[in-house]
Amino acid sequence: MVYGAAGAGTRAMTSSSSPGFSLMQEGMSYIAAAELPCLVVNVTRGGPGLGTIQPSQGDYFQAVKGGGHGDYKLIVLAPASVQEMVDSVFDGFRLAEKYRNPALILADGALGQMMEKVELPAEGSLPHETPSWATTGKSKDREQNVVTSLFIQPEKMEGINTHLQAKYTAMQSEVRYEETMVEDAEILVVAFGLSARICMKVVDLAREKGIKLGLLRPITLFPFPVARLFELSDRIKKMIVVEMNAGQMVEDVRLSTNGKSVVEFYGRMGGMIPTPEEILHKIETDLI
Amino acid sequence: MEKTLVSPECLVYDNHPETLTGTPFHYCPGCGHGVVHKVLMEVIGELGIQEETIGVAPVGCSVFAYHYMNVDMQEAAHGRASAVATGIKRVRPDKYVFSYQGDGDLAAIGTAETIHTVNRGENILVVFVNNAIYGMTGGQMAPTTLIGMKTSTSPYGRESATMGSPLKITELIANLPGAYYVARHAVHSPKYVRMLKKALTKAFEYQKLNRGTCFIEVVSNCPSGWKLTPVQTVGFIEENMLPYFPLGEIKVPDEKTGISTLVKNN
């Protein structure tokens, strides 16, 4: 339905939680290939399988590596507060429409149920026009519009792929991240979403103990802050990635730093939320 | 001097309505798809709704329907055409929206979408081309394959004990309150083609009323999949398909009250 509505030129979004989003992967692949802008929210729960309804970040790979079949990427936003959840909706549509690409908000079960004060963007702050490619009815003055992901000739299909990859490369200019006390940091925590919010407390606790800990929180998971992490790894030789999964984003951090820093990992799985104290204990034990 | 063998008005292949692009069909000789395409597009042309019609193409032999149908179209994932059509109609309620689907698409992988689209009474037209086989992928057994029919995945013939019975999905959805107009037609003889054309015209006119889903099954053929000549498929339809999939209106609305009821004997 999102495919149809987006293809007809309107703003369309849907939301689900892990198993439901797995079911949607067929559609995500088609939407990405047909270059339809839309927004999807995955409020992640613990898996695999039917799993649990507790918060998790176990769908990171599915979100940033594609998820469905074929070479495609979603624009992935990882909010860490209710205000950012609101902002991500607007940001998500803005980016989706700019790049004609599906955007995903990757939240978790805790963020999804959290209540916080928010400020809504001004009404009309995100104007929308019906795009010229949309199926709105073929008027006499134009050729038919077709929304499709079928390009049977391999030469044509490779061309489509090349175009998509160029688009994903161009998206690197949209990288968003937030840094906390990174200037003098000797150890860097990298975490997103709820984990990053917990790690803000870890930075406070560490600083009280005189440990020079900083935090880098990617806000866009795709595009990923590859260049910034590569740059920081010149100076900061010890990093730790904290996630609510078995270690997924840590692979991207290791790729970004390309062996220049030691990159440790701490994670809880299956719906368990790590405490600041246990994270700090891990840092004190393994990185100092 | 060039010799004219056939007068131009008799050139069937060059005498298409404006609502067809004129691209030659890729379908096998004798296949019913071309006829269904042409009739559907003739109706759209005659009703003057080409500019207001958005179609959804399926997966299967008619996956390239948009190469031939000269209206705005979207290509859906296998089985999802009625869901895509729902999305279009919901955001463009002033347009005419149709999905064009085969039996593998509509009655197997898309069963859930089909039933729920009709159950919601989405104000769209579903054109369901039933040739009792998966034609494009090499003639495998479909939900509508007849008992005893040999296909590449039922080489000894379909038997109900292990493969179930041919699914009469049209009768099934006709029972849903959201179904407004349901009929089954065929394209293997001019008489039936004319009947189909009338039904399609009605269905588009009903869409203006916003009263529910119009669903038209077309019993068609697949010479390549059935391993029969085009002429032999006509006999097969008459002798085997029509006794199981009887033609006619299945659910019709009362013109005055707008209430739709099942036609007796169906």
Side-chain angles (χ1 to χ4, degrees), chain A residues 14-75:
Chain A
T14 189
S15 63
S16 192
S17 181
S18 305
F21 187 53
S22 288
L23 269 172
M24 292 177 187
Q25 293 311 316
E26 174 192 69
M28 296 310 297
S29 173
Y30 279 69
I31 286 170
E35 298 196 82
L36 298 176
C38 67
L39 181 68
V40 182
V41 184
N42 178 8
V43 182
T44 313
R45 54 188 263 181
L50 196 49
T52 168
I53 57 168
Q54 303 305 318
S56 163
Q57 296 180 323
D59 299 353
Y60 176 91
F61 279 151
Q62 187 189 46
V64 306
K65 306 293 180 190
H69 59 283
D71 282 314
Y72 74 91
K73 298 281 189 187
L74 307 176
I75 296 160

Side-chain angles (χ1 to χ4, degrees), chain A residues 11 82-94 117-127:
Chain A
R11 274 198 182 122
V82 181
Q83 180 65 57
E84 271 193 1
M85 293 276 270
V86 172
D87 295 341
S88 298
V89 171
F90 287 76
D91 231 13
F93 271 120
R94 194 175 290 120
K117 211 166 126 185
V118 295
E119 205 170 298
L120 293 172
E123 203 177 321
S125 61
L126 193 58

Side-chain angles (χ1 to χ4, degrees), chain A residues 1 3-10 26 30 36 130 134-140 142-150 152, chain B residues 21 50-54 63-64 66-67 69-78 80 83-84 86-88 91-92 95 120:
Chain A
M1 285 188 206
Y3 181 102
T10 58
E26 174 192 69
Y30 279 69
L36 298 176
T130 303
T135 60
T136 52
K138 180 201 166 302
S139 55
K140 285 198 176 67
R142 68 160 167 85
E143 295 292 299
Q144 66 170 163
N145 280 342
V146 174
V147 170
T148 185
S149 64
L150 176 68
I152 211 90
Chain B
T21 57
Q50 183 181 11
E51 295 181 31
E52 295 134 70
T53 302
I54 304 166
V63 69
F64 286 123
Y66 51 84
H67 283 179
M69 300 179 181
N70 195 12
V71 290
D72 277 4
M73 289 194 80
Q74 295 195 25
E75 165 56 39
H78 200 197
R80 322 293 175 225
V84 171
T86 298
I88 299 170
V91 301
R92 303 271 171 222
K95 303 293 177 193
R120 291 190 306 268

Side-chain angles (χ1 to χ4, degrees), chain B:
Chain B
M1 196 179 148
E2 202 179 319
K3 205 176 171 184
T4 309
L5 293 172
V6 186
S7 56
E9 63 272 20
C10 295
L11 289 171
V12 178
Y13 55 86
D14 203 28
N15 187 18
H16 59 81
E18 262 182 44
T19 42
L20 282 174
T21 57
T23 304
F25 292 136
H26 70 277
Y27 300 113
C28 304
C31 170
H33 270 308
V35 183
V36 186
H37 280 24
K38 187 173 179 185
V39 175
L40 177 63
M41 287 298 121
E42 273 176 359
V43 168
I44 288 168
E46 286 164 18
L47 291 172
I49 56 169
Q50 183 181 11
E51 295 181 31
E52 295 134 70
T53 302
I54 304 166
V56 182
V59 167
C61 289
S62 49
V63 69
F64 286 123
Y66 51 84
H67 283 179
Y68 316 120
M69 300 179 181
N70 195 12
V71 290
D72 277 4
M73 289 194 80
Q74 295 195 25
E75 165 56 39
H78 200 197
R80 322 293 175 225
S82 64
V84 171
T86 298
I88 299 170
K89 186 69 182 188
R90 290 285 181 110
V91 301
R92 303 271 171 222
D94 54 328
K95 303 293 177 193
Y96 295 88
V97 177
F98 72 87
S99 74
Y100 185 103
Q101 303 175 255
D103 43 275
D105 184 273
L106 179 140
I109 190 168
T111 311
E113 282 81 358
T114 303
I115 288 176
H116 287 289
T117 299
V118 181
N119 195 46
R120 291 190 306 268
E122 297 295 343
N123 193 31
I124 61 165
L125 164 65
V126 177
V127 180
F128 167 39
V129 181
N130 175 11
N131 60 8
I133 207 160
Y134 281 88
M136 188 195 76
T137 49
Q140 290 85 358
M141 192 185 81
T144 50
T145 297
L146 298 173
I147 296 294
M149 210 170 156
K150 288 178 180 167
T151 69
S152 63
T153 50
S154 60
Y156 305 108
R158 180 178 189 164
E159 42 99 9
S160 60
T162 54
M163 303 169 205
S165 298
L167 183 61
K168 291 186 177 183
I169 197 159
T170 306
E171 277 83 351
L172 202 139
I173 61 92
N175 285 287
L176 301 172
Y180 188 65
Y181 175 59
V182 182
R184 181 184 286 120
H185 290 284
V187 286
H188 62 284
S189 85
K191 177 178 86 175
Y192 293 123
V193 174
R194 280 195 292 272
M195 286 165 77
L196 171 66
K197 193 168 170 179
K198 274 186 196 159
L200 289 168
T201 308
K202 259 193 214 176
F204 278 111
E205 282 169 349
Y206 287 148
Q207 199 168 136
K208 266 187 259 176
L209 305 174
N210 199 18
R211 285 181 183 157
T213 312
C214 293
F215 190 104
I216 298 179
E217 175 177 337
V218 185
V219 173
S220 189
N221 62 348
C222 181
S224 302
W226 294 359
K227 311 272 184 264
L228 297 175
T229 66
V231 175
Q232 286 170 334
T233 66
V234 174
F236 187 87
I237 289 174
E238 291 280 352
E239 286 158 35
N240 301 290
M241 293 284 277
L242 299 189
Y244 194 82
F245 298 114
L247 303 184
E249 291 182 317
I250 296 169
K251 193 176 191 182
V252 288
D254 184 291
E255 301 287 338
K256 284 177 193 160
T257 62
I259 296 165
S260 223
T261 48
L262 291 170
V263 176
K264 280 176 189 166
N265 304 325
N266 265 304

